[in-house]
Amino acid sequence: MAGLALGIKGFWPQAITSHFWLIYGFLAVLTFLAYLLADFGIKRNPQTGVFAILGAVIIKMLFAMSFVLIYSLKRADANLVFGLNFFSLYLLFTLFEILGLLRNLRHQNK
């Protein structure tokens, strides 16, 4: 994802915000913590693993929305490019997290 962002910035510099790496780092850490929380819930009680996944995703979403709110209140120039960068990265990180967790659940069903 980072390589794709650097490639896009080379061809179209206005498409990537100047705070891209802050967003990327925040979402990477947040996704890692949500994945660990959901994986711990799956391993502790496989019957309620889906609830652990949903809980982790909801907690991640709340922290992400808080980040956008705080950033937009602190920065007067919070613009559309920031929003598009943030939510595109959020969706990609969430996709990878869910795919990894579903792969773990699939192995438990066999």
Side-chain angles (χ1 to χ4, degrees), residues 4-6 8-10 12-20 81 85:
L4 180 64
L6 289 174
I8 290 172
K9 190 167 185 153
W12 191 20
Q14 300 88 359
I16 304 295
T17 184
S18 61
H19 297 284
F20 177 80
V81 174
N85 285 180

Side-chain angles (χ1 to χ4, degrees), residues 3-110:
L4 180 64
L6 289 174
I8 290 172
K9 190 167 185 153
F11 290 111
W12 191 20
Q14 300 88 359
I16 304 295
T17 184
S18 61
H19 297 284
F20 177 80
W21 295 111
L22 173 68
I23 299 168
Y24 187 87
F26 175 77
L27 287 175
V29 169
L30 191 61
T31 300
F32 180 70
L33 292 175
Y35 179 83
L36 289 178
L37 178 67
D39 193 45
F40 176 73
I42 290 170
K43 288 180 180 175
R44 187 168 182 199
N45 188 357
Q47 300 298 324
T48 59
V50 174
F51 295 117
I53 292 173
L54 289 174
V57 169
I58 289 171
I59 290 171
K60 178 182 168 187
M61 183 182 64
L62 290 174
F63 276 107
M65 289 179 3
S66 300
F67 179 81
V68 170
L69 178 66
I70 291 169
Y71 182 85
S72 62
L73 290 176
K74 294 282 185 185
R75 304 272 310 198
D77 64 340
N79 54 12
L80 182 63
V81 174
F82 172 79
L84 290 174
N85 285 180
F86 185 86
F87 287 109
S88 63
L89 282 175
Y90 175 80
L91 290 173
L92 285 174
F93 274 113
T94 302
L95 175 73
F96 290 135
E97 175 191 0
I98 296 298
L99 289 175
L101 290 169
L102 287 176
R103 189 175 344 115
N104 288 345
L105 285 174
R106 190 176 310 130
H107 291 301
Q108 288 180 358
N109 288 338
K110 291 182 178 181

